[in-house]
PDB file of all heavy atoms in Angstrom:
ATOM      1  N   LYS X 834      24.434-208.353 -54.385  1.00 95.00           N
ATOM      2  CA  LYS X 834      24.382-208.283 -55.836  1.00 95.00           C
ATOM      3  C   LYS X 834      23.638-206.998 -56.217  1.00 95.00           C
ATOM      4  O   LYS X 834      23.005-206.372 -55.365  1.00 95.00           O
ATOM      5  CB  LYS X 834      23.624-209.491 -56.405  1.00 95.00           C
ATOM      6  CG  LYS X 834      24.189-210.849 -56.009  1.00 95.00           C
ATOM      7  CD  LYS X 834      23.276-211.961 -56.500  1.00 95.00           C
ATOM      8  CE  LYS X 834      23.745-213.327 -56.036  1.00 95.00           C
ATOM      9  NZ  LYS X 834      22.808-214.410 -56.441  1.00 95.00           N
ATOM     10  N   PRO X 835      23.700-206.586 -57.477  1.00 96.00           N
ATOM     11  CA  PRO X 835      22.853-205.459 -57.888  1.00 96.00           C
ATOM     12  C   PRO X 835      21.403-205.734 -57.494  1.00 96.00           C
ATOM     13  O   PRO X 835      20.915-206.861 -57.617  1.00 96.00           O
ATOM     14  CB  PRO X 835      23.025-205.428 -59.411  1.00 96.00           C
ATOM     15  CG  PRO X 835      24.398-205.977 -59.627  1.00 96.00           C
ATOM     16  CD  PRO X 835      24.549-207.057 -58.589  1.00 96.00           C
ATOM     17  N   LEU X 836      20.737-204.705 -57.023  1.00 95.00           N
ATOM     18  CA  LEU X 836      19.400-204.870 -56.445  1.00 95.00           C
ATOM     19  C   LEU X 836      18.316-204.349 -57.381  1.00 95.00           C
ATOM     20  O   LEU X 836      18.485-203.312 -58.027  1.00 95.00           O
ATOM     21  CB  LEU X 836      19.328-204.113 -55.117  1.00 95.00           C
ATOM     22  CG  LEU X 836      18.006-204.159 -54.363  1.00 95.00           C
ATOM     23  CD1 LEU X 836      17.698-205.571 -53.880  1.00 95.00           C
ATOM     24  CD2 LEU X 836      18.035-203.191 -53.177  1.00 95.00           C
ATOM     25  N   ILE X 837      17.207-205.087 -57.422  1.00 93.00           N
ATOM     26  CA  ILE X 837      16.029-204.633 -58.156  1.00 93.00           C
ATOM     27  C   ILE X 837      14.859-204.552 -57.178  1.00 93.00           C
ATOM     28  O   ILE X 837      14.507-205.548 -56.541  1.00 93.00           O
ATOM     29  CB  ILE X 837      15.660-205.572 -59.322  1.00 93.00           C
ATOM     30  CG1 ILE X 837      16.780-205.595 -60.376  1.00 93.00           C
ATOM     31  CG2 ILE X 837      14.347-205.120 -59.969  1.00 93.00           C
ATOM     32  CD1 ILE X 837      16.499-206.540 -61.536  1.00 93.00           C
ATOM     33  N   LEU X 838      14.278-203.370 -57.064  1.00 93.00           N
ATOM     34  CA  LEU X 838      13.040-203.211 -56.298  1.00 93.00           C
ATOM     35  C   LEU X 838      11.876-203.472 -57.242  1.00 93.00           C
ATOM     36  O   LEU X 838      11.793-202.863 -58.309  1.00 93.00           O
ATOM     37  CB  LEU X 838      12.919-201.798 -55.723  1.00 93.00           C
ATOM     38  CG  LEU X 838      13.974-201.329 -54.721  1.00 93.00           C
ATOM     39  CD1 LEU X 838      13.566-199.976 -54.150  1.00 93.00           C
ATOM     40  CD2 LEU X 838      14.177-202.329 -53.608  1.00 93.00           C
ATOM     41  N   THR X 839      11.009-204.367 -56.857  1.00 89.00           N
ATOM     42  CA  THR X 839       9.839-204.676 -57.681  1.00 89.00           C
ATOM     43  C   THR X 839       8.580-204.210 -56.960  1.00 89.00           C
ATOM     44  O   THR X 839       8.575-203.994 -55.747  1.00 89.00           O
ATOM     45  CB  THR X 839       9.743-206.185 -57.960  1.00 89.00           C
ATOM     46  OG1 THR X 839       9.626-206.891 -56.712  1.00 89.00           O
ATOM     47  CG2 THR X 839      10.970-206.684 -58.707  1.00 89.00           C
ATOM     48  N   GLY X 840       7.534-204.061 -57.714  1.00 85.00           N
ATOM     49  CA  GLY X 840       6.273-203.623 -57.130  1.00 85.00           C
ATOM     50  C   GLY X 840       5.509-202.765 -58.111  1.00 85.00           C
ATOM     51  O   GLY X 840       6.056-202.282 -59.103  1.00 85.00           O
ATOM     52  N   ALA X 841       4.240-202.561 -57.815  1.00 82.00           N
ATOM     53  CA  ALA X 841       3.379-201.763 -58.687  1.00 82.00           C
ATOM     54  C   ALA X 841       3.832-200.308 -58.694  1.00 82.00           C
ATOM     55  O   ALA X 841       4.621-199.870 -57.854  1.00 82.00           O
ATOM     56  CB  ALA X 841       1.927-201.857 -58.222  1.00 82.00           C
ATOM     57  N   ARG X 842       3.346-199.561 -59.645  1.00 81.00           N
ATOM     58  CA  ARG X 842       3.634-198.133 -59.685  1.00 81.00           C
ATOM     59  C   ARG X 842       3.003-197.444 -58.470  1.00 81.00           C
ATOM     60  O   ARG X 842       1.984-197.886 -57.947  1.00 81.00           O
ATOM     61  CB  ARG X 842       3.092-197.502 -60.972  1.00 81.00           C
ATOM     62  CG  ARG X 842       3.840-197.951 -62.231  1.00 81.00           C
ATOM     63  CD  ARG X 842       3.330-197.218 -63.468  1.00 81.00           C
ATOM     64  NE  ARG X 842       4.038-197.643 -64.669  1.00 81.00           N
ATOM     65  CZ  ARG X 842       5.186-197.121 -65.084  1.00 81.00           C
ATOM     66  NH1 ARG X 842       5.750-196.150 -64.385  1.00 81.00           N
ATOM     67  NH2 ARG X 842       5.767-197.554 -66.189  1.00 81.00           N
ATOM     68  N   GLN X 843       3.653-196.369 -58.048  1.00 83.00           N
ATOM     69  CA  GLN X 843       3.157-195.493 -56.984  1.00 83.00           C
ATOM     70  C   GLN X 843       3.234-196.094 -55.576  1.00 83.00           C
ATOM     71  O   GLN X 843       2.569-195.593 -54.659  1.00 83.00           O
ATOM     72  CB  GLN X 843       1.696-195.058 -57.269  1.00 83.00           C
ATOM     73  CG  GLN X 843       1.480-194.409 -58.617  1.00 83.00           C
ATOM     74  CD  GLN X 843       2.358-193.176 -58.827  1.00 83.00           C
ATOM     75  OE1 GLN X 843       2.517-192.362 -57.933  1.00 83.00           O
ATOM     76  NE2 GLN X 843       2.956-193.066 -60.006  1.00 83.00           N
ATOM     77  N   VAL X 844       4.002-197.174 -55.394  1.00 87.00           N
ATOM     78  CA  VAL X 844       4.140-197.719 -54.034  1.00 87.00           C
ATOM     79  C   VAL X 844       5.349-197.135 -53.303  1.00 87.00           C
ATOM     80  O   VAL X 844       5.595-197.479 -52.146  1.00 87.00           O
ATOM     81  CB  VAL X 844       4.234-199.266 -54.036  1.00 87.00           C
ATOM     82  CG1 VAL X 844       2.945-199.878 -54.545  1.00 87.00           C
ATOM     83  CG2 VAL X 844       5.437-199.761 -54.833  1.00 87.00           C
ATOM     84  N   GLY X 845       6.110-196.267 -53.970  1.00 88.00           N
ATOM     85  CA  GLY X 845       7.193-195.568 -53.291  1.00 88.00           C
ATOM     86  C   GLY X 845       8.587-196.064 -53.581  1.00 88.00           C
ATOM     87  O   GLY X 845       9.526-195.777 -52.831  1.00 88.00           O
ATOM     88  N   LYS X 846       8.780-196.767 -54.693  1.00 91.00           N
ATOM     89  CA  LYS X 846      10.113-197.314 -55.004  1.00 91.00           C
ATOM     90  C   LYS X 846      11.141-196.196 -55.229  1.00 91.00           C
ATOM     91  O   LYS X 846      12.261-196.267 -54.722  1.00 91.00           O
ATOM     92  CB  LYS X 846      10.034-198.224 -56.237  1.00 91.00           C
ATOM     93  CG  LYS X 846       9.127-199.438 -56.076  1.00 91.00           C
ATOM     94  CD  LYS X 846       9.236-200.398 -57.244  1.00 91.00           C
ATOM     95  CE  LYS X 846       8.780-199.828 -58.564  1.00 91.00           C
ATOM     96  NZ  LYS X 846       7.345-199.472 -58.570  1.00 91.00           N
ATOM     97  N   THR X 847      10.763-195.191 -56.000  1.00 92.00           N
ATOM     98  CA  THR X 847      11.702-194.105 -56.291  1.00 92.00           C
ATOM     99  C   THR X 847      12.080-193.361 -55.016  1.00 92.00           C
ATOM    100  O   THR X 847      13.265-193.078 -54.764  1.00 92.00           O
ATOM    101  CB  THR X 847      11.101-193.129 -57.319  1.00 92.00           C
ATOM    102  OG1 THR X 847      10.870-193.826 -58.548  1.00 92.00           O
ATOM    103  CG2 THR X 847      12.032-191.956 -57.577  1.00 92.00           C
ATOM    104  N   TRP X 848      11.102-193.033 -54.202  1.00 92.00           N
ATOM    105  CA  TRP X 848      11.379-192.337 -52.943  1.00 92.00           C
ATOM    106  C   TRP X 848      12.304-193.160 -52.064  1.00 92.00           C
ATOM    107  O   TRP X 848      13.254-192.619 -51.467  1.00 92.00           O
ATOM    108  CB  TRP X 848      10.075-192.060 -52.200  1.00 92.00           C
ATOM    109  CG  TRP X 848      10.305-191.333 -50.900  1.00 92.00           C
ATOM    110  CD1 TRP X 848      10.386-189.980 -50.713  1.00 92.00           C
ATOM    111  CD2 TRP X 848      10.523-191.931 -49.610  1.00 92.00           C
ATOM    112  NE1 TRP X 848      10.635-189.701 -49.390  1.00 92.00           N
ATOM    113  CE2 TRP X 848      10.726-190.874 -48.691  1.00 92.00           C
ATOM    114  CE3 TRP X 848      10.568-193.240 -49.154  1.00 92.00           C
ATOM    115  CZ2 TRP X 848      10.964-191.095 -47.333  1.00 92.00           C
ATOM    116  CZ3 TRP X 848      10.810-193.472 -47.800  1.00 92.00           C
ATOM    117  CH2 TRP X 848      11.009-192.405 -46.911  1.00 92.00           C
ATOM    118  N   LEU X 849      12.050-194.455 -51.982  1.00 93.00           N
ATOM    119  CA  LEU X 849      12.883-195.333 -51.157  1.00 93.00           C
ATOM    120  C   LEU X 849      14.334-195.315 -51.611  1.00 93.00           C
ATOM    121  O   LEU X 849      15.262-195.197 -50.793  1.00 93.00           O
ATOM    122  CB  LEU X 849      12.347-196.766 -51.220  1.00 93.00           C
ATOM    123  CG  LEU X 849      11.353-197.186 -50.151  1.00 93.00           C
ATOM    124  CD1 LEU X 849      10.747-198.535 -50.504  1.00 93.00           C
ATOM    125  CD2 LEU X 849      12.023-197.257 -48.787  1.00 93.00           C
ATOM    126  N   MET X 850      14.566-195.441 -52.903  1.00 95.00           N
ATOM    127  CA  MET X 850      15.927-195.470 -53.411  1.00 95.00           C
ATOM    128  C   MET X 850      16.650-194.155 -53.144  1.00 95.00           C
ATOM    129  O   MET X 850      17.814-194.149 -52.703  1.00 95.00           O
ATOM    130  CB  MET X 850      15.928-195.797 -54.912  1.00 95.00           C
ATOM    131  CG  MET X 850      15.468-197.198 -55.247  1.00 95.00           C
ATOM    132  SD  MET X 850      15.702-197.630 -56.997  1.00 95.00           S
ATOM    133  CE  MET X 850      14.571-196.483 -57.796  1.00 95.00           C
ATOM    134  N   LYS X 851      15.988-193.050 -53.402  1.00 95.00           N
ATOM    135  CA  LYS X 851      16.619-191.745 -53.188  1.00 95.00           C
ATOM    136  C   LYS X 851      16.883-191.492 -51.704  1.00 95.00           C
ATOM    137  O   LYS X 851      17.948-190.983 -51.326  1.00 95.00           O
ATOM    138  CB  LYS X 851      15.740-190.635 -53.768  1.00 95.00           C
ATOM    139  CG  LYS X 851      15.710-190.605 -55.288  1.00 95.00           C
ATOM    140  CD  LYS X 851      14.876-189.434 -55.786  1.00 95.00           C
ATOM    141  CE  LYS X 851      14.944-189.302 -57.299  1.00 95.00           C
ATOM    142  NZ  LYS X 851      14.135-188.154 -57.788  1.00 95.00           N
ATOM    143  N   GLU X 852      15.925-191.839 -50.865  1.00 95.00           N
ATOM    144  CA  GLU X 852      16.109-191.641 -49.427  1.00 95.00           C
ATOM    145  C   GLU X 852      17.185-192.565 -48.881  1.00 95.00           C
ATOM    146  O   GLU X 852      17.974-192.179 -48.012  1.00 95.00           O
ATOM    147  CB  GLU X 852      14.775-191.884 -48.707  1.00 95.00           C
ATOM    148  CG  GLU X 852      14.786-191.615 -47.219  1.00 95.00           C
ATOM    149  CD  GLU X 852      14.934-190.135 -46.864  1.00 95.00           C
ATOM    150  OE1 GLU X 852      15.025-189.288 -47.776  1.00 95.00           O
ATOM    151  OE2 GLU X 852      14.971-189.843 -45.653  1.00 95.00           O
ATOM    152  N   PHE X 853      17.235-193.780 -49.394  1.00 96.00           N
ATOM    153  CA  PHE X 853      18.285-194.727 -49.027  1.00 96.00           C
ATOM    154  C   PHE X 853      19.662-194.154 -49.374  1.00 96.00           C
ATOM    155  O   PHE X 853      20.596-194.196 -48.575  1.00 96.00           O
ATOM    156  CB  PHE X 853      18.046-196.048 -49.756  1.00 96.00           C
ATOM    157  CG  PHE X 853      19.131-197.074 -49.589  1.00 96.00           C
ATOM    158  CD1 PHE X 853      19.545-197.491 -48.340  1.00 96.00           C
ATOM    159  CD2 PHE X 853      19.729-197.651 -50.713  1.00 96.00           C
ATOM    160  CE1 PHE X 853      20.548-198.452 -48.189  1.00 96.00           C
ATOM    161  CE2 PHE X 853      20.717-198.605 -50.575  1.00 96.00           C
ATOM    162  CZ  PHE X 853      21.127-199.014 -49.313  1.00 96.00           C
ATOM    163  N   GLY X 854      19.773-193.604 -50.562  1.00 96.00           N
ATOM    164  CA  GLY X 854      21.026-192.988 -50.972  1.00 96.00           C
ATOM    165  C   GLY X 854      21.401-191.809 -50.089  1.00 96.00           C
ATOM    166  O   GLY X 854      22.565-191.639 -49.712  1.00 96.00           O
ATOM    167  N   ARG X 855      20.423-191.006 -49.741  1.00 96.00           N
ATOM    168  CA  ARG X 855      20.680-189.834 -48.898  1.00 96.00           C
ATOM    169  C   ARG X 855      21.160-190.241 -47.509  1.00 96.00           C
ATOM    170  O   ARG X 855      22.069-189.604 -46.943  1.00 96.00           O
ATOM    171  CB  ARG X 855      19.408-188.985 -48.778  1.00 96.00           C
ATOM    172  CG  ARG X 855      19.586-187.680 -48.024  1.00 96.00           C
ATOM    173  CD  ARG X 855      18.264-186.958 -47.862  1.00 96.00           C
ATOM    174  NE  ARG X 855      17.395-187.608 -46.897  1.00 96.00           N
ATOM    175  CZ  ARG X 855      17.496-187.460 -45.573  1.00 96.00           C
ATOM    176  NH1 ARG X 855      18.434-186.679 -45.059  1.00 96.00           N
ATOM    177  NH2 ARG X 855      16.646-188.080 -44.766  1.00 96.00           N
ATOM    178  N   LEU X 856      20.581-191.301 -46.967  1.00 96.00           N
ATOM    179  CA  LEU X 856      20.893-191.704 -45.598  1.00 96.00           C
ATOM    180  C   LEU X 856      22.177-192.515 -45.476  1.00 96.00           C
ATOM    181  O   LEU X 856      22.877-192.427 -44.464  1.00 96.00           O
ATOM    182  CB  LEU X 856      19.724-192.526 -45.027  1.00 96.00           C
ATOM    183  CG  LEU X 856      18.412-191.775 -44.780  1.00 96.00           C
ATOM    184  CD1 LEU X 856      17.324-192.747 -44.350  1.00 96.00           C
ATOM    185  CD2 LEU X 856      18.592-190.691 -43.729  1.00 96.00           C
ATOM    186  N   TYR X 857      22.490-193.322 -46.495  1.00 97.00           N
ATOM    187  CA  TYR X 857      23.553-194.313 -46.337  1.00 97.00           C
ATOM    188  C   TYR X 857      24.757-194.124 -47.261  1.00 97.00           C
ATOM    189  O   TYR X 857      25.718-194.871 -47.148  1.00 97.00           O
ATOM    190  CB  TYR X 857      22.972-195.716 -46.554  1.00 97.00           C
ATOM    191  CG  TYR X 857      22.041-196.155 -45.455  1.00 97.00           C
ATOM    192  CD1 TYR X 857      20.663-195.953 -45.563  1.00 97.00           C
ATOM    193  CD2 TYR X 857      22.527-196.765 -44.303  1.00 97.00           C
ATOM    194  CE1 TYR X 857      19.803-196.357 -44.546  1.00 97.00           C
ATOM    195  CE2 TYR X 857      21.676-197.169 -43.296  1.00 97.00           C
ATOM    196  CZ  TYR X 857      20.314-196.960 -43.420  1.00 97.00           C
ATOM    197  OH  TYR X 857      19.461-197.366 -42.412  1.00 97.00           O
ATOM    198  N   PHE X 858      24.708-193.141 -48.153  1.00 97.00           N
ATOM    199  CA  PHE X 858      25.813-192.935 -49.088  1.00 97.00           C
ATOM    200  C   PHE X 858      26.212-191.469 -49.124  1.00 97.00           C
ATOM    201  O   PHE X 858      25.423-190.585 -48.780  1.00 97.00           O
ATOM    202  CB  PHE X 858      25.436-193.405 -50.495  1.00 97.00           C
ATOM    203  CG  PHE X 858      25.277-194.895 -50.621  1.00 97.00           C
ATOM    204  CD1 PHE X 858      24.085-195.522 -50.266  1.00 97.00           C
ATOM    205  CD2 PHE X 858      26.326-195.685 -51.076  1.00 97.00           C
ATOM    206  CE1 PHE X 858      23.938-196.893 -50.369  1.00 97.00           C
ATOM    207  CE2 PHE X 858      26.193-197.058 -51.181  1.00 97.00           C
ATOM    208  CZ  PHE X 858      24.997-197.669 -50.828  1.00 97.00           C
ATOM    209  N   GLU X 859      27.431-191.224 -49.561  1.00 96.00           N
ATOM    210  CA  GLU X 859      27.908-189.844 -49.690  1.00 96.00           C
ATOM    211  C   GLU X 859      27.415-189.186 -50.969  1.00 96.00           C
ATOM    212  O   GLU X 859      27.319-187.961 -51.048  1.00 96.00           O
ATOM    213  CB  GLU X 859      29.443-189.822 -49.672  1.00 96.00           C
ATOM    214  CG  GLU X 859      30.065-190.291 -48.361  1.00 96.00           C
ATOM    215  CD  GLU X 859      31.577-190.257 -48.389  1.00 96.00           C
ATOM    216  OE1 GLU X 859      32.144-189.570 -49.283  1.00 96.00           O
ATOM    217  OE2 GLU X 859      32.203-190.908 -47.537  1.00 96.00           O
ATOM    218  N   ASP X 860      27.102-190.005 -51.981  1.00 97.00           N
ATOM    219  CA  ASP X 860      26.733-189.462 -53.287  1.00 97.00           C
ATOM    220  C   ASP X 860      25.715-190.394 -53.939  1.00 97.00           C
ATOM    221  O   ASP X 860      25.722-191.609 -53.695  1.00 97.00           O
ATOM    222  CB  ASP X 860      27.980-189.344 -54.166  1.00 97.00           C
ATOM    223  CG  ASP X 860      27.711-188.662 -55.494  1.00 97.00           C
ATOM    224  OD1 ASP X 860      26.837-187.772 -55.543  1.00 97.00           O
ATOM    225  OD2 ASP X 860      28.368-189.021 -56.482  1.00 97.00           O
ATOM    226  N   VAL X 861      24.845-189.832 -54.748  1.00 97.00           N
ATOM    227  CA  VAL X 861      23.835-190.607 -55.464  1.00 97.00           C
ATOM    228  C   VAL X 861      23.836-190.197 -56.931  1.00 97.00           C
ATOM    229  O   VAL X 861      23.750-189.002 -57.247  1.00 97.00           O
ATOM    230  CB  VAL X 861      22.421-190.388 -54.886  1.00 97.00           C
ATOM    231  CG1 VAL X 861      21.378-191.123 -55.727  1.00 97.00           C
ATOM    232  CG2 VAL X 861      22.352-190.847 -53.441  1.00 97.00           C
ATOM    233  N   CYS X 862      23.944-191.177 -57.809  1.00 96.00           N
ATOM    234  CA  CYS X 862      23.807-190.939 -59.248  1.00 96.00           C
ATOM    235  C   CYS X 862      22.483-191.541 -59.684  1.00 96.00           C
ATOM    236  O   CYS X 862      22.344-192.771 -59.777  1.00 96.00           O
ATOM    237  CB  CYS X 862      24.975-191.570 -60.005  1.00 96.00           C
ATOM    238  SG  CYS X 862      24.852-191.381 -61.818  1.00 96.00           S
ATOM    239  N   TYR X 863      21.489-190.677 -59.914  1.00 95.00           N
ATOM    240  CA  TYR X 863      20.129-191.133 -60.226  1.00 95.00           C
ATOM    241  C   TYR X 863      19.846-190.998 -61.715  1.00 95.00           C
ATOM    242  O   TYR X 863      20.054-189.934 -62.302  1.00 95.00           O
ATOM    243  CB  TYR X 863      19.113-190.305 -59.432  1.00 95.00           C
ATOM    244  CG  TYR X 863      17.680-190.609 -59.805  1.00 95.00           C
ATOM    245  CD1 TYR X 863      17.030-191.728 -59.292  1.00 95.00           C
ATOM    246  CD2 TYR X 863      16.976-189.776 -60.674  1.00 95.00           C
ATOM    247  CE1 TYR X 863      15.712-192.008 -59.621  1.00 95.00           C
ATOM    248  CE2 TYR X 863      15.660-190.042 -61.014  1.00 95.00           C
ATOM    249  CZ  TYR X 863      15.033-191.163 -60.484  1.00 95.00           C
ATOM    250  OH  TYR X 863      13.729-191.450 -60.833  1.00 95.00           O
ATOM    251  N   ILE X 864      19.387-192.083 -62.310  1.00 93.00           N
ATOM    252  CA  ILE X 864      19.014-192.085 -63.724  1.00 93.00           C
ATOM    253  C   ILE X 864      17.614-192.655 -63.863  1.00 93.00           C
ATOM    254  O   ILE X 864      17.338-193.767 -63.385  1.00 93.00           O
ATOM    255  CB  ILE X 864      19.998-192.921 -64.567  1.00 93.00           C
ATOM    256  CG1 ILE X 864      21.401-192.313 -64.506  1.00 93.00           C
ATOM    257  CG2 ILE X 864      19.530-192.994 -66.024  1.00 93.00           C
ATOM    258  CD1 ILE X 864      22.462-193.167 -65.142  1.00 93.00           C
ATOM    259  N   ASN X 865      16.740-191.902 -64.502  1.00 91.00           N
ATOM    260  CA  ASN X 865      15.378-192.365 -64.759  1.00 91.00           C
ATOM    261  C   ASN X 865      15.291-192.784 -66.221  1.00 91.00           C
ATOM    262  O   ASN X 865      15.310-191.949 -67.125  1.00 91.00           O
ATOM    263  CB  ASN X 865      14.373-191.248 -64.466  1.00 91.00           C
ATOM    264  CG  ASN X 865      12.942-191.729 -64.608  1.00 91.00           C
ATOM    265  OD1 ASN X 865      12.675-192.818 -65.100  1.00 91.00           O
ATOM    266  ND2 ASN X 865      12.010-190.911 -64.166  1.00 91.00           N
ATOM    267  N   PHE X 866      15.194-194.089 -66.447  1.00 89.00           N
ATOM    268  CA  PHE X 866      15.178-194.600 -67.814  1.00 89.00           C
ATOM    269  C   PHE X 866      13.828-194.425 -68.493  1.00 89.00           C
ATOM    270  O   PHE X 866      13.690-194.740 -69.677  1.00 89.00           O
ATOM    271  CB  PHE X 866      15.585-196.076 -67.825  1.00 89.00           C
ATOM    272  CG  PHE X 866      17.065-196.281 -67.623  1.00 89.00           C
ATOM    273  CD1 PHE X 866      17.535-197.018 -66.552  1.00 89.00           C
ATOM    274  CD2 PHE X 866      17.983-195.727 -68.494  1.00 89.00           C
ATOM    275  CE1 PHE X 866      18.895-197.210 -66.363  1.00 89.00           C
ATOM    276  CE2 PHE X 866      19.337-195.906 -68.324  1.00 89.00           C
ATOM    277  CZ  PHE X 866      19.800-196.652 -67.251  1.00 89.00           C
ATOM    278  N   GLU X 867      12.843-193.928 -67.766  1.00 84.00           N
ATOM    279  CA  GLU X 867      11.569-193.624 -68.406  1.00 84.00           C
ATOM    280  C   GLU X 867      11.717-192.389 -69.293  1.00 84.00           C
ATOM    281  O   GLU X 867      11.007-192.225 -70.280  1.00 84.00           O
ATOM    282  CB  GLU X 867      10.486-193.400 -67.350  1.00 84.00           C
ATOM    283  CG  GLU X 867       9.086-193.589 -67.869  1.00 84.00           C
ATOM    284  CD  GLU X 867       8.083-193.770 -66.753  1.00 84.00           C
ATOM    285  OE1 GLU X 867       8.223-193.105 -65.707  1.00 84.00           O
ATOM    286  OE2 GLU X 867       7.160-194.579 -66.920  1.00 84.00           O
ATOM    287  N   ASN X 868      12.651-191.503 -68.910  1.00 79.00           N
ATOM    288  CA  ASN X 868      12.999-190.333 -69.728  1.00 79.00           C
ATOM    289  C   ASN X 868      14.511-190.291 -69.869  1.00 79.00           C
ATOM    290  O   ASN X 868      15.180-189.382 -69.360  1.00 79.00           O
ATOM    291  CB  ASN X 868      12.491-189.045 -69.059  1.00 79.00           C
ATOM    292  CG  ASN X 868      10.996-189.056 -68.857  1.00 79.00           C
ATOM    293  OD1 ASN X 868      10.239-189.079 -69.808  1.00 79.00           O
ATOM    294  ND2 ASN X 868      10.572-189.050 -67.592  1.00 79.00           N
TER     295      ASN X 868
END
């Protein structure tokens, strides 16, 4: 199902998602809803 990573700020969620995309997918569409 669509995945949600939970956890406090600064524990590495953004890095994990981007690195996951780099390692396991051909393309990554990243959107930061904070901005």
Side-chain angles (χ1 to χ4, degrees):
K834 303 174 184 176
L836 180 66
I837 296 178
L838 298 187
T839 60
R842 291 184 180 274
Q843 305 303 318
V844 295
K846 299 188 296 297
T847 298
W848 180 88
L849 268 170
M850 293 188 295
K851 289 183 174 180
E852 184 69 0
F853 174 55
R855 185 184 72 81
L856 292 174
Y857 291 94
F858 292 83
E859 296 180 17
D860 186 32
V861 175
C862 178
Y863 174 80
I864 297 172
N865 185 350
F866 285 120
E867 202 163 38
N868 301 296

